[in-house]
Structure formats: C-alpha cells, structure tokens
Amino acid sequence: MTDKILTVGVPAYNAEKTLRRCLDSFLISEVMDKIQVIIINDGSKDRTSEIAHCYEEKYPNTYSVIDKENGGHGSGINSAIEHAKGKYIKIVDSDDYVEREGLIDLIYQLEENDIDLCLSPYYEVFGDNKKMKTYYMHKKEMENRTIDIENNECLDLRFAMHAITYRTDILKESNYRIDENCYYVDVEYSIYYLKDIKNIRLLSRAVYCYVIGSAEQSVNKKNMQKNIEQHTFVCNRLVSFYKSERADFLTADILIRKNIINMIMLTEFRLILSLPNIQESKNRYIEFEGRLREESAELYQGIILETRERRLKIGHIIYFNRLTHYRLFKCIRRILWFKLRDF
C-alpha cells in the first residue's frame, strides 16, 4: 500500500454489530485505490477480527488489519498513526461511517491542496437515522478556503475528531501520543497536534457520520458520570500540555486555549455539576478549580472570558462560585443548574 492519499484508522473493539456498515462506507470505486483503511482490532472477544479479515482478503489493496491486545481507543489511534502509509490520516470509529460524496470531495481536496489539516462539517446521526449537519466548526462563508493558522479567522474554529484530517507526517514526527486505556482521549487527538499546524483547509461537504444516542456510548450521561475520573484525567493532561508547550504555540496560543476550554473543560464543569451527590459535586469542583488555578492562570481566567464571549449560562455558575469562594456552591447549583441539566 504505497502512494496512498489518505489513511483511515478504524479502532474497533467488540464491533461486530456495526463494523460492516463502517467498512462498507469506504467501498467507493472512485477512491478505493487512493485510500488505506486500517482496522485496529483492540483485543475484541466477538467476531470483529473475523469480519475485518474478510475485507482485507477481498480488498487487499485497500483494507488491512492489525490484531492487538486491548489498550483502549487511544491505543487504536496510536497504532493507526504508526502504520499509516497515506499522506493524510483520518480516524473513524467502528460504530460510525462516512458519506460517499463527502469522502470523494475530501480526497480531491487533499490531492489539489498542500495543507496541514482539513476541517469539515459532519453529520450527527440519531437512532432513527435522522441526520443533522453540524457546522459549528466553521462558518459557511469560510468553506473551501485555506487559511493560515496565524489568521484571526482561525480563533473560533473547533477541532472535534469527527471533523479533522491531518497531514500524517505531523503526527508521526510529534512527541505526543494519545493516552491509552482511557475514554475521552479523542480530545487529545484534536488538540495536541495543533501546535505544529501552519494552515487549514475548510471544507463544505460533510464526511463523517457520527452515530449518537446509544446507551453504551462513553458520552452517554450516565456513563460519563461513572467514568468521571477518566474525563478529569484527560482535562488535567491537557492543562499540563498547555502549561508545558505554551511557549511554542506562538500565534496558535489563543486558538489552542479556546479549544481546550470549549472541547473539554466546560464539559468537565457540567459533568461535575451533574453528579447526584451534591457534596461529591462540590468537592470535585473545588479540587478541579484549585488545580487549574495553580497550573494555568490563562486557562483559569480564560474560562470566564470564553463563557462571556459565547454567552454561555455555565459561566454564571463558575463566576458566582468564584465570587463567593464556593461558600454558596450548593445554593448556586440548586438555583442555576436546572437550566444546564443536559450537557
């Protein structure tokens, strides 16, 4: 598999129910000879490996399989980076899939433009197969343009994994790899490598179809509450990343800071506030705020600035808790949380 334009990494764990839908979405004659699809079987105990090898046997020029011990989603991403042959790389989870026309356009854009990162809208697909196109990554008037990372137009871009296609060598040459045996590390993938990006191509066609609504998903509210330690771990990792690497961000500083705040930290605050035990909620809240204040004044202060700029209600809770030194935490949560129950 040489001279591929795009490597698609498909981390898969016990994915026999959804894997065929995912892999079938790449069976597009116009682009199959230009893509490498790596299925990373992460120690599955069902028929995931068997299904993946069927595609490898039938389409050896497009599909390949890596069978490995279980290491979590981050381990699958790291493996995809390590074995990628394409000039660019995209991660697609095994319970999601891609749009035909979107993938064709993505390949065309990657061939025609010399870029570090492509950012595209994506579909959120609900249980009834209803699709809703998500544009919050960039404004419609910015589509099909290449902009420099230092351009002020970049400041409001959001870099969720579903929207990103990276130049592969940027990831291979980076000192950063994604944490293993942990949920929510897709945010690390979305942020770590931005410090080495010089330009971005903003696309108009949705490529990724993100299937949501399953009770088994890690982003399900109950599962997030159960896995809160892992979510906090990722938050803390990104705080440490910002603190240690900020001197090298140069013009990307504001962009990266905004993405850390919006993509993970505001969710952490909502998650902590959603815990049914109010005392546990307060303890975790104060501990998280204290570490953030000590580690990074820019992120600590930036949360208030960002919530004001975006007029987010969560900002009121954060502001009043700081103003009262958390003494009225329980009262503030009871009064204001009903407006923010869903995150």
Side-chain angles (χ1 to χ4, degrees):
M1 291 188 181
T2 58
D3 299 323
K4 296 289 185 176
I5 299 299
L6 177 68
T7 291
V8 180
V10 182
Y13 175 70
N14 289 349
E16 64 178 11
K17 294 181 180 179
T18 60
L19 185 58
R20 290 187 186 276
R21 178 184 63 187
C22 176
L23 299 183
D24 282 347
S25 69
F26 301 104
L27 294 174
I28 303 170
S29 59
E30 292 92 331
V31 300
M32 282 185 67
D33 62 335
K34 299 177 181 180
I35 64 175
Q36 171 198 23
V37 181
I38 308 175
I39 308 105
I40 304 98
N41 172 38
D42 191 38
S44 298
K45 299 177 181 179
D46 62 1
R47 296 179 58 245
T48 294
S49 179
E50 176 187 340
I51 293 169
H53 280 284
C54 286
Y55 284 80
E56 181 182 45
E57 292 171 8
K58 192 170 184 179
Y59 309 101
N61 190 47
T62 300
Y63 297 89
S64 62
V65 182
I66 297 171
D67 290 303
K68 57 182 287 299
E69 293 182 0
N70 182 261
H73 192 235
S75 177
I77 295 174
N78 292 336
S79 186
I81 295 171
E82 179 185 353
H83 293 90
K85 304 293 186 184
K87 183 178 180 181
Y88 294 90
I89 185 170
K90 188 170 188 66
I91 303 298
V92 177
D93 286 340
S94 58
D95 54 351
D96 300 326
Y97 57 97
V98 297
E99 282 279 292
R100 182 182 187 278
E101 297 303 322
L103 183 62
I104 292 173
D105 181 64
L106 174 63
I107 299 298
Y108 170 79
Q109 296 280 355
L110 296 177
E111 288 179 310
E112 294 297 314
N113 298 281
D114 184 24
I115 46 182
D116 291 338
L117 183 152
C118 262
L119 200 62
S120 57
Y122 62 88
Y123 287 115
E124 291 182 338
V125 183
F126 298 88
D128 54 2
N129 289 323
K130 179 181 178 182
K131 293 182 179 179
M132 183 173 70
K133 201 170 187 179
T134 301
Y135 275 104
Y136 78 93
M137 298 302 157
H138 56 266
K139 299 175 182 177
K140 283 191 174 185
E141 58 265 27
M142 297 171 68
E143 292 175 349
N144 297 317
R145 290 175 52 197
T146 300
I147 57 178
D148 293 332
I149 196 77
E150 62 187 21
N151 194 314
N152 287 335
E153 292 178 292
C154 289
L155 296 183
D156 291 323
L157 297 179
R158 300 291 174 262
F159 294 87
M161 187 191 78
H162 322 302
I164 292 173
T165 303
Y166 282 116
R167 183 191 291 270
T168 305
D169 59 12
I170 290 174
L171 276 59
K172 284 183 178 290
E173 294 169 9
S174 173
N175 294 326
Y176 280 91
R177 286 296 178 265
I178 311 306
D179 280 301
E180 303 188 356
N181 297 302
C182 186
Y183 293 118
Y184 317 116
V185 292
D186 57 301
V187 184
E188 295 181 1
Y189 178 80
S190 302
I191 291 175
Y192 279 161
Y193 308 110
L194 295 181
K195 72 184 188 71
D196 299 314
I197 298 298
K198 294 183 174 61
N199 55 42
I200 304 169
R201 182 76 176 174
L202 305 174
L203 306 187
S204 60
R205 290 183 180 273
V207 180
Y208 199 110
C209 293
Y210 174 38
V211 181
I212 60 177
S214 169
E216 291 78 30
Q217 285 181 305
S218 62
V219 293
N220 174 277
K221 181 177 179 178
K222 290 184 178 179
N223 291 333
M224 291 190 74
Q225 290 172 336
K226 182 177 67 175
N227 298 318
I228 189 170
E229 294 285 357
Q230 296 186 42
H231 195 275
T232 303
F233 172 82
V234 174
C235 277
N236 290 336
R237 288 282 287 165
L238 288 168
V239 172
S240 298
F241 164 77
Y242 184 83
K243 179 181 178 181
S244 63
E245 299 287 349
R246 184 174 178 242
D248 296 329
F249 289 166
L250 301 177
T251 54
D253 181 20
I254 298 176
L255 175 67
I256 294 174
R257 181 167 71 244
K258 280 175 170 283
N259 270 272
I260 292 175
I261 290 170
N262 283 292
M263 300 301 292
I264 188 76
M265 286 192 168
L266 294 182
T267 303
E268 175 74 1
F269 278 107
R270 292 185 178 98
L271 179 56
I272 291 173
L273 289 165
S274 78
L275 295 174
N277 185 305
I278 295 181
Q279 188 60 50
E280 179 189 2
S281 177
K282 180 179 180 180
N283 292 343
R284 285 186 177 276
Y285 190 102
I286 294 174
E287 180 182 356
F288 180 69
E289 278 258 276
R291 185 181 189 278
L292 181 60
R293 184 172 56 249
E294 291 178 7
E295 291 287 314
S296 175
E298 293 81 13
L299 289 172
Y300 180 78
Q301 296 165 0
I303 287 172
I304 296 296
L305 296 175
E306 186 68 14
T307 54
R308 284 176 178 171
E309 181 180 320
R310 295 180 59 200
R311 299 180 180 178
L312 300 178
K313 294 177 181 177
I314 186 71
H316 298 306
I317 295 180
I318 297 171
Y319 173 74
F320 284 120
N321 275 324
R322 292 180 181 179
L323 186 66
T324 61
H325 301 283
Y326 315 110
R327 288 192 291 267
L328 300 179
F329 178 89
K330 296 179 181 179
C331 180
I332 291 170
R333 185 183 123 144
R334 287 193 183 101
I335 293 172
L336 297 178
W337 177 243
F338 74 93
K339 297 181 180 180
L340 293 163
R341 288 175 187 169
D342 295 323
F343 59 88

